[in-house]
Amino acid sequence: MDSYSKKIELKGIDSQWHAIEIPNDVFSEVNTNMSDIRIYGVTANDTIEAPYLHKVSKAENSNSEISFNLLNSVNTQKGYFYTYELPQKETINEILLNIEDLNFNWEITLEGSQHQKQWFTILEDYLILSINNDQTNYSFTTLKFPDANYRYYRILIRSTEKPNLASVTISKKAKKAAEYRNYNIQSFKVSQEEKKTIIDIELNKRVPLNLLELTVDDKIDYYRSISIQYLADSVKTDKRFYYNYRPLATRTLSSMENNSYQLPGTLATKVRVIVVNNDNQPLKISGTNVKGYVHTLTTRFTEPATYYLVYGKQNDNFPNYDITKTTVSLPDTITKLNFGSVEKIPKPQTETTDPLFENKWWLWLIIGVIIVLLGYFTIGMLKKEL
């Protein structure tokens, strides 16, 4: 344990399995890959290590494609109609249109029917578009709607030219939402620089970044490329600090979507978002939310001891536990442990041997004696030669 820097006592252990939600304070000290997290138990005679399963509260998707038949494709003055039949009534909530046209901006109407005699509107004035030029490459052609259960579906694309509709995918997307922690924003600054909007976000501590949300006040249509970066390190010179930002993600800021961006779980304190405005007016970006997944250690305790969550060791390797390689039967209910206060782990003192002569005057005295003896023997040798 003494090779790590911090420890937190775990309280409330009363069964074999418990869950430990890693506190935000721990992320400030751990390695970038979180390889230096351990759970140690201290007994009167020994220190034991408790194995754990590291789980992250990501969203869980269950996507199923639904088979269908194209019944007809016609066009009128309103636009182009496509009617699809599902062989069996299935619940769906998403239709992906694979359109090969490069640049378009069309409105969609989606209707459902059980027998094609009466149609019910599911989506109306739903915008799909594609922008492909030197500045932007953006496409949004997915129809998303609440769960619907009809035998027939009819899509109207309001276009004067026939869309190059290469394929269609109808699916039911079931999703278990992710669990996030909201982080406190210490500062939020927006500045303009050479046709770019720079958004600097600073958190009050180093934490894993998994979701970034931006609030845009403009009510107009907009499609801007953005770069999301994090501060990796900084260098101080005599005149100023130089900040080294590294890329996290490249996305599109769009009026058609909710401007919520998944991030790869990087530990950071500062985030920078660069919005490329090109020749457009800057958008009014008024706020942000930064969130992270909940990290849980499902831990097995087999012996009575005083247990600690231990962390903070550079270049440490990941632990190698049997329970990570085999299927483990976990109880239906696993209680969470409480925490004591954060403590520094004292380092063992290195024993040092005191020098033979601590006072420097002893050294000068010895040197003086040596000089006198050398002089005496030198004079003696000279007399013999004479």
Side-chain angles (χ1 to χ4, degrees):
M1 266 177 58
D2 55 22
S3 63
Y4 294 83
S5 62
K6 298 285 182 66
K7 66 179 180 179
I8 306 175
E9 185 177 351
L10 302 174
K11 298 184 177 182
I13 300 172
D14 57 10
S15 60
Q16 186 178 39
W17 290 96
H18 283 286
I20 303 168
E21 284 192 5
I22 301 178
N24 285 345
D25 290 338
V26 172
F27 298 121
S28 300
E29 302 280 344
V30 298
N31 293 336
T32 302
N33 59 2
M34 304 185 199
S35 61
D36 55 329
I37 296 176
R38 299 292 188 275
I39 299 166
Y40 284 120
V42 178
T43 67
N45 303 314
D46 198 5
T47 300
I48 55 180
E49 185 169 350
Y52 63 80
L53 298 169
H54 188 171
K55 297 183 178 180
V56 182
S57 60
K58 297 180 179 180
E60 296 179 10
N61 294 321
S62 177
N63 304 330
S64 56
E65 291 190 10
I66 309 299
S67 61
F68 62 91
N69 301 314
L70 175 63
L71 291 185
N72 56 55
S73 172
V74 298
N75 67 291
T76 67
Q77 291 182 346
K78 292 183 177 181
Y80 289 81
F81 288 85
Y82 302 88
T83 304
Y84 302 97
E85 177 191 19
L86 274 58
Q88 296 179 345
K89 281 181 59 177
E90 299 269 6
T91 299
I92 68 171
N93 53 24
E94 186 170 297
I95 299 177
L96 173 62
L97 306 178
N98 180 13
I99 300 174
E100 295 184 344
D101 301 86
L102 293 180
N103 291 283
F104 58 84
N105 188 339
W106 298 324
E107 290 183 347
I108 295 286
T109 297
L110 174 64
E111 299 173 306
S113 176
Q114 303 294 5
H115 41 62
Q116 296 195 81
K117 293 180 181 179
Q118 184 179 10
W119 291 91
F120 299 92
T121 302
I122 301 172
L123 294 174
E124 190 172 19
D125 299 331
Y126 189 94
L127 190 64
I128 63 171
L129 62 84
S130 174
I131 304 173
N132 193 309
N133 52 41
D134 293 338
Q135 299 176 344
T136 305
N137 184 3
Y138 175 72
S139 176
F140 180 78
T141 60
T142 302
L143 311 184
K144 298 181 179 181
F145 46 91
D147 289 354
N149 193 323
Y150 295 98
R151 183 71 180 273
Y152 301 94
Y153 292 89
R154 184 168 66 186
I155 297 174
L156 166 61
I157 301 178
R158 299 184 184 277
S159 169
T160 56
E161 298 180 0
K162 184 177 181 179
N164 188 4
L165 183 57
S167 63
V168 174
T169 303
I170 300 177
S171 60
K172 167 67 184 296
K173 291 206 168 183
K175 185 175 183 179
K176 179 183 177 183
E179 183 182 356
Y180 292 103
R181 280 181 183 162
N182 289 300
Y183 298 139
N184 293 325
I185 306 297
Q186 184 166 309
S187 67
F188 176 81
K189 298 178 181 178
V190 180
S191 59
Q192 309 300 326
E193 180 182 315
E194 297 180 354
K195 297 185 178 182
K196 295 179 181 179
T197 299
I198 312 297
I199 306 166
D200 285 312
I201 306 162
E202 183 175 357
L203 307 173
N204 62 355
K205 60 185 65 177
R206 179 174 176 251
V207 285
L209 310 178
N210 294 103
L211 188 73
L212 174 70
E213 299 173 334
L214 294 174
T215 302
V216 182
D217 295 338
D218 299 78
K219 304 304 179 184
I220 60 174
D221 290 335
Y222 55 86
Y223 321 98
R224 313 278 172 94
S225 296
I226 67 171
S227 172
I228 304 174
Q229 306 172 355
Y230 74 99
L231 181 63
D233 52 55
S234 60
V235 178
K236 185 179 181 181
T237 64
D238 294 337
K239 296 181 178 180
R240 52 172 289 187
F241 272 100
Y242 288 90
Y243 298 102
N244 177 25
Y245 282 89
R246 293 180 183 174
L248 272 175
T250 301
R251 299 288 188 267
T252 300
L253 189 68
S254 169
S255 56
M256 300 182 61
E257 302 183 67
N258 59 7
N259 297 325
S260 177
Y261 308 101
Q262 290 292 141
L263 303 176
T266 303
L267 289 169
T269 306
K270 295 183 179 181
V271 182
R272 172 169 288 178
V273 182
I274 301 175
V275 183
V276 180
N277 296 317
N278 296 314
D279 295 324
N280 302 293
Q281 288 289 330
L283 297 170
K284 298 175 182 177
I285 301 173
S286 60
T288 184
N289 287 319
V290 182
K291 303 179 181 181
Y293 294 141
V294 177
H295 291 253
T296 303
L297 309 179
T298 304
T299 311
R300 185 179 66 195
F301 300 92
T302 56
E303 297 183 37
T306 301
Y307 283 92
Y308 297 90
L309 175 64
V310 176
Y311 56 95
K313 181 179 179 180
Q314 290 186 356
N315 304 317
D316 199 14
N317 295 320
F318 282 101
N320 187 358
Y321 299 133
D322 290 339
I323 62 174
T324 63
K325 302 180 179 66
T326 59
T327 302
V328 179
S329 297
L330 298 175
D332 295 332
T333 302
I334 299 179
T335 57
K336 298 177 184 178
L337 294 180
N338 297 317
F339 300 101
S341 57
V342 179
E343 301 177 49
K344 288 186 177 181
I345 298 178
K347 303 300 178 186
Q349 297 295 324
T350 303
E351 293 186 5
T352 58
T353 303
D354 292 336
L356 182 61
F357 301 104
E358 292 185 355
N359 194 319
K360 65 181 180 179
W361 292 109
W362 282 104
L363 181 62
W364 287 113
L365 179 61
I366 293 172
I367 293 173
V369 171
I370 293 173
I371 292 172
V372 170
L373 290 174
L374 288 173
Y376 173 79
F377 287 114
T378 302
I379 292 171
M381 292 174 63
L382 289 174
K383 288 180 177 180
K384 288 181 180 180
E385 290 180 359
L386 295 175

Coordinates of all heavy atoms in Angstrom, one line a residue, residues 26-68:
V26 N -11.2 11.1 -6.5 CA -10.2 10.1 -6.8 C -9.6 10.4 -8.2 O -8.5 10.2 -8.5 CB -10.8 8.7 -6.8 CG1 -9.9 7.7 -7.3 CG2 -11.2 8.4 -5.3
F27 N -10.5 10.9 -9.2 CA -10.0 11.1 -10.5 C -8.9 12.1 -10.7 O -8.2 12.1 -11.7 CB -11.2 11.4 -11.4 CG -12.3 10.4 -11.5 CD1 -13.6 10.7 -11.1 CD2 -12.0 9.1 -11.9 CE1 -14.6 9.7 -11.2 CE2 -13.0 8.2 -12.0 CZ -14.3 8.5 -11.6
S28 N -8.8 13.0 -9.7 CA -7.7 14.0 -9.7 C -6.4 13.4 -9.6 O -5.4 14.0 -9.9 CB -8.0 15.1 -8.7 OG -9.2 15.7 -8.9
E29 N -6.3 12.2 -9.0 CA -5.0 11.6 -8.6 C -4.6 10.4 -9.4 O -3.4 10.0 -9.5 CB -5.0 11.2 -7.1 CG -5.3 12.3 -6.2 CD -4.1 13.2 -5.9 OE1 -3.0 12.7 -6.2 OE2 -4.3 14.3 -5.4
V30 N -5.6 9.7 -10.1 CA -5.3 8.5 -10.8 C -4.6 8.7 -12.1 O -4.6 9.8 -12.7 CB -6.6 7.6 -11.0 CG1 -7.2 7.3 -9.7 CG2 -7.6 8.4 -11.9
N31 N -4.0 7.6 -12.6 CA -3.4 7.6 -14.0 C -4.5 7.9 -15.0 O -5.7 7.7 -14.8 CB -2.7 6.3 -14.3 CG -1.5 6.1 -13.4 OD1 -0.9 7.1 -12.9 ND2 -1.1 4.8 -13.2
T32 N -4.1 8.2 -16.2 CA -5.0 8.5 -17.3 C -5.9 7.3 -17.6 O -7.1 7.5 -17.9 CB -4.2 8.9 -18.5 OG1 -3.4 10.1 -18.2 CG2 -5.2 9.3 -19.7
N33 N -5.4 6.1 -17.5 CA -6.2 4.9 -17.8 C -6.8 4.3 -16.6 O -7.4 3.2 -16.7 CB -5.4 3.9 -18.6 CG -4.1 3.5 -17.8 OD1 -3.9 3.9 -16.7 ND2 -3.3 2.6 -18.4
M34 N -6.7 4.9 -15.4 CA -7.2 4.4 -14.1 C -6.7 3.0 -13.8 O -7.4 2.2 -13.2 CB -8.8 4.4 -14.2 CG -9.4 5.7 -14.5 SD -11.2 5.7 -14.5 CE -11.6 7.1 -15.4
S35 N -5.5 2.8 -14.1 CA -4.9 1.4 -13.8 C -4.4 1.3 -12.4 O -4.1 0.2 -11.9 CB -3.7 1.2 -14.8 OG -2.7 2.1 -14.6
D36 N -4.4 2.4 -11.7 CA -3.8 2.4 -10.3 C -4.8 2.5 -9.2 O -4.6 3.1 -8.2 CB -2.8 3.5 -10.2 CG -3.4 4.9 -10.5 OD1 -4.3 4.9 -11.3 OD2 -2.9 5.9 -9.9
I37 N -5.9 1.8 -9.4 CA -6.9 1.7 -8.3 C -6.9 0.3 -7.7 O -7.0 -0.7 -8.4 CB -8.3 2.0 -8.9 CG1 -8.4 3.5 -9.5 CG2 -9.4 1.9 -7.9 CD1 -9.7 3.8 -10.1
R38 N -6.8 0.3 -6.4 CA -6.8 -1.0 -5.7 C -7.7 -0.9 -4.4 O -8.0 0.2 -3.9 CB -5.3 -1.3 -5.2 CG -4.3 -1.5 -6.3 CD -4.6 -2.7 -7.2 NE -3.5 -2.9 -8.2 CZ -3.4 -2.3 -9.3 NH1 -4.3 -1.5 -9.7 NH2 -2.4 -2.6 -10.1
I39 N -8.0 -2.1 -3.9 CA -8.8 -2.2 -2.7 C -8.0 -3.1 -1.8 O -7.9 -4.3 -2.1 CB -10.2 -2.7 -2.9 CG1 -11.0 -1.7 -3.8 CG2 -10.9 -2.8 -1.6 CD1 -12.2 -2.2 -4.4
Y40 N -7.4 -2.5 -0.7 CA -6.6 -3.3 0.2 C -7.3 -3.4 1.6 O -7.9 -2.4 2.0 CB -5.2 -2.6 0.4 CG -4.3 -2.8 -0.8 CD1 -3.8 -1.7 -1.5 CD2 -3.9 -4.1 -1.2 CE1 -2.9 -1.9 -2.5 CE2 -3.1 -4.3 -2.2 CZ -2.6 -3.2 -2.9 OH -1.7 -3.4 -4.0
G41 N -7.1 -4.5 2.2 CA -7.6 -4.7 3.6 C -6.4 -4.9 4.5 O -5.5 -5.7 4.2
V42 N -6.5 -4.3 5.6 CA -5.4 -4.4 6.6 C -5.9 -5.1 7.8 O -6.9 -4.8 8.4 CB -4.9 -2.9 7.0 CG1 -3.8 -3.0 8.1 CG2 -4.5 -2.2 5.8
T43 N -5.2 -6.2 8.2 CA -5.5 -7.0 9.4 C -4.3 -6.8 10.3 O -3.4 -6.0 10.1 CB -5.6 -8.5 9.0 OG1 -4.3 -9.0 8.6 CG2 -6.6 -8.7 7.9
A44 N -4.4 -7.5 11.5 CA -3.3 -7.3 12.5 C -2.0 -7.8 12.0 O -0.9 -7.4 12.4 CB -3.7 -8.0 13.8
N45 N -2.0 -8.8 11.0 CA -0.8 -9.5 10.6 C -0.5 -9.4 9.1 O 0.6 -9.7 8.7 CB -0.9 -11.0 11.0 CG -1.1 -11.2 12.4 OD1 -0.5 -10.6 13.3 ND2 -2.0 -12.1 12.8
D46 N -1.4 -8.8 8.3 CA -1.2 -8.9 6.9 C -2.0 -7.8 6.2 O -2.9 -7.1 6.8 CB -1.7 -10.3 6.4 CG -1.2 -10.7 5.0 OD1 -0.3 -9.9 4.5 OD2 -1.6 -11.7 4.5
T47 N -1.7 -7.6 4.9 CA -2.4 -6.8 4.0 C -2.9 -7.6 2.8 O -2.1 -8.3 2.2 CB -1.5 -5.6 3.5 OG1 -1.1 -4.8 4.5 CG2 -2.3 -4.7 2.5
I48 N -4.2 -7.6 2.6 CA -4.8 -8.4 1.6 C -5.5 -7.5 0.5 O -5.8 -6.4 0.8 CB -5.9 -9.4 2.1 CG1 -6.9 -8.6 2.9 CG2 -5.2 -10.4 3.0 CD1 -8.0 -9.4 3.6
E49 N -5.6 -8.1 -0.7 CA -6.1 -7.3 -1.8 C -7.5 -7.9 -2.2 O -7.6 -9.1 -2.4 CB -5.2 -7.3 -3.0 CG -5.7 -6.5 -4.2 CD -4.6 -6.3 -5.2 OE1 -3.4 -6.7 -5.0 OE2 -4.9 -5.8 -6.3
A50 N -8.5 -7.1 -2.4 CA -9.8 -7.5 -2.7 C -10.0 -7.3 -4.2 O -9.8 -6.1 -4.7 CB -10.9 -6.7 -2.0
P51 N -10.5 -8.3 -5.0 CA -10.7 -8.1 -6.5 C -12.0 -7.4 -6.8 O -12.9 -7.4 -6.0 CB -10.7 -9.5 -7.0 CG -11.2 -10.3 -5.8 CD -10.7 -9.7 -4.6
Y52 N -12.0 -6.7 -7.9 CA -13.2 -6.0 -8.3 C -13.4 -6.0 -9.8 O -12.5 -6.3 -10.6 CB -13.1 -4.5 -7.8 CG -11.9 -3.7 -8.5 CD1 -12.1 -3.2 -9.8 CD2 -10.8 -3.5 -7.8 CE1 -11.0 -2.5 -10.4 CE2 -9.7 -2.8 -8.4 CZ -9.9 -2.3 -9.7 OH -8.9 -1.6 -10.3
L53 N -14.7 -5.8 -10.2 CA -15.1 -5.6 -11.6 C -15.4 -4.1 -11.8 O -16.2 -3.5 -11.1 CB -16.3 -6.4 -11.9 CG -16.2 -7.9 -11.7 CD1 -17.6 -8.6 -11.8 CD2 -15.3 -8.5 -12.8
H54 N -14.7 -3.5 -12.7 CA -14.9 -2.1 -13.0 C -16.0 -1.9 -14.0 O -15.8 -2.3 -15.2 CB -13.6 -1.5 -13.5 CG -13.6 0.0 -13.6 ND1 -12.5 0.8 -13.9 CD2 -14.6 0.9 -13.5 CE1 -12.8 2.0 -14.0 NE2 -14.1 2.1 -13.8
K55 N -17.1 -1.3 -13.6 CA -18.2 -1.1 -14.5 C -18.4 0.4 -14.8 O -18.3 1.2 -13.8 CB -19.5 -1.8 -14.0 CG -19.4 -3.3 -13.8 CD -20.7 -3.9 -13.3 CE -20.6 -5.4 -13.3 NZ -21.8 -6.0 -12.8
V56 N -18.9 0.7 -16.0 CA -19.2 2.1 -16.4 C -20.6 2.2 -16.8 O -21.1 1.3 -17.6 CB -18.2 2.6 -17.5 CG1 -18.5 4.0 -17.8 CG2 -16.8 2.4 -17.1
S57 N -21.3 3.2 -16.4 CA -22.8 3.3 -16.6 C -23.1 3.8 -18.0 O -23.8 4.8 -18.2 CB -23.4 4.2 -15.6 OG -22.8 5.5 -15.7
K58 N -22.6 3.1 -19.1 CA -22.9 3.5 -20.4 C -24.4 3.2 -20.8 O -25.0 2.3 -20.1 CB -22.0 2.8 -21.4 CG -20.5 3.2 -21.2 CD -19.7 2.4 -22.2 CE -18.2 2.7 -22.1 NZ -17.4 2.0 -23.1
A59 N -24.8 3.8 -21.9 CA -26.2 3.4 -22.4 C -26.1 2.0 -23.0 O -25.0 1.6 -23.6 CB -26.6 4.4 -23.5
E60 N -27.2 1.3 -22.9 CA -27.2 0.0 -23.5 C -28.3 0.0 -24.6 O -29.4 0.3 -24.4 CB -27.6 -1.1 -22.5 CG -26.6 -1.2 -21.3 CD -27.0 -2.2 -20.3 OE1 -28.0 -2.9 -20.5 OE2 -26.3 -2.3 -19.2
N61 N -27.8 -0.3 -25.9 CA -28.7 -0.3 -27.0 C -29.1 -1.7 -27.4 O -28.3 -2.7 -27.3 CB -27.9 0.3 -28.2 CG -27.7 1.8 -28.0 OD1 -28.5 2.5 -27.4 ND2 -26.5 2.3 -28.4
S62 N -30.3 -1.9 -27.9 CA -30.8 -3.1 -28.4 C -31.5 -2.8 -29.7 O -32.7 -2.4 -29.7 CB -31.7 -3.8 -27.4 OG -32.3 -5.0 -28.0
N63 N -30.8 -2.9 -30.8 CA -31.4 -2.5 -32.1 C -31.8 -3.7 -32.9 O -31.1 -4.7 -33.0 CB -30.3 -1.8 -32.9 CG -29.8 -0.5 -32.2 OD1 -30.5 0.0 -31.4 ND2 -28.5 -0.2 -32.5
S64 N -33.0 -3.7 -33.5 CA -33.5 -4.8 -34.3 C -34.1 -4.2 -35.6 O -35.0 -3.3 -35.5 CB -34.6 -5.6 -33.5 OG -35.6 -4.7 -33.1
E65 N -33.6 -4.7 -36.7 CA -34.1 -4.3 -38.0 C -35.4 -5.1 -38.3 O -35.5 -6.3 -38.0 CB -33.1 -4.5 -39.1 CG -31.9 -3.5 -39.0 CD -31.0 -3.6 -40.2 OE1 -31.4 -4.2 -41.2 OE2 -29.9 -3.1 -40.2
I66 N -36.3 -4.4 -38.9 CA -37.6 -5.0 -39.2 C -37.7 -5.2 -40.7 O -37.4 -4.2 -41.5 CB -38.8 -4.0 -38.7 CG1 -38.6 -3.6 -37.3 CG2 -40.1 -4.7 -39.0 CD1 -38.5 -4.8 -36.3
S67 N -38.1 -6.4 -41.1 CA -38.3 -6.6 -42.6 C -39.5 -5.9 -43.1 O -40.5 -5.7 -42.4 CB -38.3 -8.1 -42.8 OG -39.4 -8.7 -42.2
F68 N -39.5 -5.6 -44.4 CA -40.6 -4.8 -45.0 C -40.6 -5.0 -46.5 O -39.6 -5.5 -47.1 CB -40.5 -3.4 -44.6 CG -39.3 -2.7 -45.2 CD1 -39.3 -2.1 -46.4 CD2 -38.1 -2.7 -44.5 CE1 -38.2 -1.5 -47.0 CE2 -37.0 -2.1 -45.0 CZ -37.0 -1.5 -46.2

